């Protein structure tokens, strides 16, 4: 390796430390135009494109690595990340196990194995993998964060959630500017402790550090919405569909769980009947609420409404938006009753009772969570 090539690789290392992956990709491509067989440059390029979510370009450089350095643990490590990001967990596990065979003293190999195990529902193996990673790097904040996520799978208690917050706070002490840790803290506040105000504070910090953080963007929208008792009620079917999605994701990871659905077949039918009725009554009003009251947040989300419309709503006084919300909800329910040929008086009495019952459920769940 001549001095010119060495200097070019040193520059890539400096850019990697800065975290500017777009610039790293550009410089790696420039390096490869002069030294096309440089395994180190392909490594930098693959890493950059993986962080930029450009899996196609990352794949080109990973294939080059597999050609130039097929027996390198680093090659298998990056290949595992590539497959895991594509959802090909079996192939990812194969490559990360090979990386561990070649070099068992690298904490990040165990970290990637823990991620793959978490994606496939192999919680026990995932916990073992992240514990091994922490033995090698006990103060790595990202390893601590993943350990917290794995622990949360089988422990939904409030006391467990508080312990996870303590662990995440310790991880934050090690790296105060890690947006993933701030977003995970927001997740615990929102999903486990039902405190949307504190969740909003954490995810806003995460977005200040990394405006592209997907988890933080999703949580911010729900945290701001869940501060409203009305939105909590209207979003019940949304929460119901998210629950269904998680159930089927769990069955996909562990197919034997389908037996529980078969045992409780009647209860499942009743649940879906409720979910259908609640969706018909609440989903559109929930979207109207999002567009009118949460338009400041919705402008950065994929809500299906053009940004010009969001800007229009965002510019209106809150009192006008609330009036439009009430009018829009009543108009929707009037059209629904008219379409179903249901008498308006009886229909609105049913809707009032239906909403009142669900509001009571939301209140009871909220108080129960607080009491824990």
């Amino acid at each position: 390796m001549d001095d010119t090539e060495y200097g070019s690789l040193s520059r890539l290392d400096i850019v990697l430390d800065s975290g500017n992956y777009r610039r790293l990709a550009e410089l790696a491509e420039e390096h490869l135009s002069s030294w096309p067989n440089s395994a180190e440059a392909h490594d930098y390029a693959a890493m950059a494109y993986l962080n930029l979510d450009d899996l196609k370009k990352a794949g080109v450089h990973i294939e080059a690595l597999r050609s130039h350095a097929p027996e390198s643990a680093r090659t298998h490590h990056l290949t595992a990340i590539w497959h895991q990001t594509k959802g090909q967990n079996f192939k990812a596990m194969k490559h990360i196990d090979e990386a561990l065979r070649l070099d068992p003293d690298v904490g990040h190999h165990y970290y990637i194995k823990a991620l793959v195990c978490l994606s496939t529902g192999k919680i026990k193996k995932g916990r073992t993998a992240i514990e091994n990673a922490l033995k090698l790097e006990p103060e790595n904040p990202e390893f601590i964060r993943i350990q917290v996520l794995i622990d949360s799978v089988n422990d939904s208690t409030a006391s467990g959630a508080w312990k996870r917050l303590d662990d995440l706070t310790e991880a934050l002490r090690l790296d105060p500017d890690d947006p993933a840790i701030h977003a995970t803290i927001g997740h615990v506040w929102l999903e486990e402790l039902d405190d949307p105000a504190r969740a909003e504070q954490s995810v806003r910090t995460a977005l200040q550090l990394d405006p592209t953080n997907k988890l933080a963007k999703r949580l911010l929208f729900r945290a701001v919405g869940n501060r409203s008792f009305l939105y909590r009620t209207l979003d019940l079917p949304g929460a119901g569909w998210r629950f269904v999605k998680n159930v089927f994701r769990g069955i996909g990871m562990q197919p034997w769980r389908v037996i529980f659905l078969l045992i409780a077949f009647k209860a499942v039918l009743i649940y879906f009947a409720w979910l259908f009725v609640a969706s018909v009554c609440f989903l559109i009003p929930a979207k109207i609420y999002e567009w009118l009251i949460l338009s400041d947040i919705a402008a950065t989300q994929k809500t299906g409404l053009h940004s010009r419309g969001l800007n229009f709503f965002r510019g209106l006084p809150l009192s006008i938006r609330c009036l439009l919300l009430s009018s829009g909800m009543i108009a929707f329910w009037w059209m629904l009753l008219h379409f179903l040929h249901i008498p308006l008086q009886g229909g609105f009495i049913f809707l009032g009772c239906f909403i009142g019952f669900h509001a009571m459920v939301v209140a009871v769940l909220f108080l129960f969570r607080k009491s824990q």
Side-chain angles (χ1 to χ4, degrees):
M1 182 185 298
D2 58 34
D3 290 343
T4 305
E5 183 179 2
Y6 180 80
S8 179
L9 289 174
S10 298
R11 185 169 60 157
L12 289 175
D13 198 48
I14 293 171
V15 176
L16 173 62
D17 289 339
S18 73
N20 189 341
Y21 292 107
R22 195 166 299 282
R23 182 59 177 159
L24 179 62
E26 293 172 357
L27 292 176
E29 297 287 7
E30 288 180 14
H31 183 101
L32 288 166
S33 66
S34 300
W35 298 279
N37 295 323
S38 172
E40 294 90 344
H42 282 296
D43 186 308
Y44 283 115
M47 194 186 324
Y49 287 124
L50 284 171
N51 279 279
L52 293 170
D53 290 328
D54 192 335
L55 299 182
K56 184 176 181 181
K57 290 183 179 179
V60 171
H61 294 285
I62 286 170
E63 287 300 321
L65 274 174
R66 295 175 68 178
S67 174
H68 295 303
E71 294 302 317
S72 166
R74 178 67 178 171
T75 297
H76 286 285
H77 178 91
L78 289 172
T79 306
I81 296 174
W82 183 58
H83 282 303
Q84 197 262 340
T85 307
K86 294 169 67 178
Q88 299 170 341
N89 291 304
F90 179 79
K91 292 181 179 179
M93 186 65 78
K94 176 183 175 182
H95 282 284
I96 203 60
D97 281 340
E98 182 64 14
L100 282 165
R101 185 188 69 82
L102 293 167
D103 192 351
D105 296 324
V106 176
H108 274 80
H109 293 344
Y110 291 103
Y111 164 73
I112 296 300
K113 181 165 184 172
L115 291 181
V116 176
C117 290
L118 190 59
S119 298
T120 55
K122 298 176 180 178
I123 305 305
K124 187 176 180 179
K125 289 184 177 180
R127 182 177 290 108
T128 300
I130 202 64
E131 286 173 355
N132 288 331
L134 284 165
K135 287 177 183 176
L136 294 167
E137 298 181 43
E139 293 194 347
N140 187 306
E142 180 61 13
F143 295 178
I144 296 172
R145 187 180 76 88
I146 296 303
Q147 185 184 44
V148 168
L149 288 178
I150 291 175
D151 288 343
S152 70
V153 173
N154 293 325
D155 181 7
S156 59
T157 63
S159 59
W162 282 108
K163 182 182 181 301
R164 286 188 282 279
L165 276 181
D166 290 339
D167 293 339
L168 288 167
T169 301
E170 176 62 20
L172 206 58
R173 183 187 65 80
L174 299 170
D175 188 357
D177 295 327
D178 189 326
I181 298 175
H182 285 285
T184 306
I185 290 174
H187 174 83
V188 175
W189 279 122
L190 183 63
E191 303 293 351
E192 299 189 55
L193 295 174
D194 198 16
D195 193 330
R198 292 188 180 182
E200 180 185 352
Q201 182 179 0
S202 294
V203 296
R204 284 192 185 277
T205 302
L207 287 170
Q208 287 175 355
L209 295 167
D210 178 12
T212 65
N213 188 290
K214 295 178 181 178
L215 174 61
K217 289 171 70 175
R218 185 172 67 251
L219 288 174
L220 178 60
F221 191 73
R222 291 184 52 213
V224 174
N226 281 358
R227 295 182 70 173
S228 163
F229 189 76
L230 174 60
Y231 183 75
R232 282 172 178 255
T233 304
L234 295 176
D235 192 48
L236 272 177
W241 286 115
R242 289 191 291 271
F243 174 74
V244 170
K245 180 180 178 181
N246 289 334
V247 167
F248 280 100
R249 181 182 297 164
I251 291 174
M253 294 177 183
Q254 297 177 329
W256 59 267
R257 291 185 177 185
V258 74
I259 192 171
F260 294 115
L261 296 183
L262 297 176
I263 292 173
F265 184 71
K266 289 184 178 179
V268 171
L269 287 179
I270 293 171
Y271 176 82
F272 275 104
W274 164 80
L275 191 56
F276 173 77
V277 175
S279 298
V280 170
C281 294
F282 288 163
L283 276 184
I284 296 300
K287 285 299 177 185
I288 295 173
Y289 187 102
E290 291 172 5
W291 293 339
L292 291 175
I293 308 302
L294 304 179
S295 55
D296 292 339
I297 307 300
T300 63
Q301 308 293 317
K302 295 180 179 179
T303 60
L305 192 66
H306 287 288
S307 59
R308 183 180 300 176
L310 289 173
N311 289 331
F312 171 76
F313 290 129
R314 195 161 58 248
L316 294 174
L318 181 60
S319 58
I320 300 297
R321 284 189 271 168
C322 290
L323 179 61
L324 288 173
L325 169 65
S326 302
S327 303
M329 290 168 59
I330 292 172
F332 167 75
W333 284 324
W334 182 88
M335 288 187 292
L336 179 65
L337 295 173
H338 181 74
F339 176 77
L340 296 175
H341 303 290
I342 296 174
L344 292 180
Q345 183 177 358
F348 275 106
I349 289 174
F350 168 79
L351 283 169
C353 295
F354 194 72
I355 294 170
F357 170 77
H358 285 83
M360 287 177 58
V361 171
V362 170
V364 169
L365 291 174
F366 176 76
L367 293 173
F368 175 74
R369 189 72 65 90
K370 286 297 181 183
S371 68
Q372 288 184 311

